[in-house]
Amino acid sequence: MQVLTQTSQCHGFNIGMNQGRVAGAGIAEHLHMHVVPRWSRDTNFITVLGNARVLPESLQESYQQIKSAWFE
């Protein structure tokens, strides 16, 4: 969350965990977490799931920024 705050200048986060096949984990013994950066006045989370583009950059650009900041 510190790296995401630094690289995206976000104002907060939506955080959720999925555990078990019925929760969308795909593997019964698997647990994973989603961390979604949020900004004041950004679009609704459902809109994001509806294939809206919130960040004005490609996923590859975001990845490179996060990767670089992670190892600083």
Side-chain angles (χ1 to χ4, degrees), residues 16-70:
M17 297 183 81
N18 295 42
Q19 195 257 334
R21 189 175 310 277
V22 297
I27 301 171
E29 300 81 19
H30 180 74
L31 172 71
H32 68 272
M33 178 187 296
H34 296 265
V35 178
V36 180
R38 299 299 304 267
W39 297 264
S40 297
R41 300 181 185 182
D42 69 1
T43 59
N44 183 291
F45 187 70
I46 297 302
T47 306
V48 173
L49 291 177
N51 204 24
R53 300 293 180 248
V54 177
L55 291 176
E57 63 192 16
S58 72
L59 187 57
Q60 184 65 25
E61 290 173 292
S62 297
Y63 170 75
Q64 290 301 326
Q65 289 177 14
I66 293 167
K67 181 179 171 185
S68 295
W70 190 272

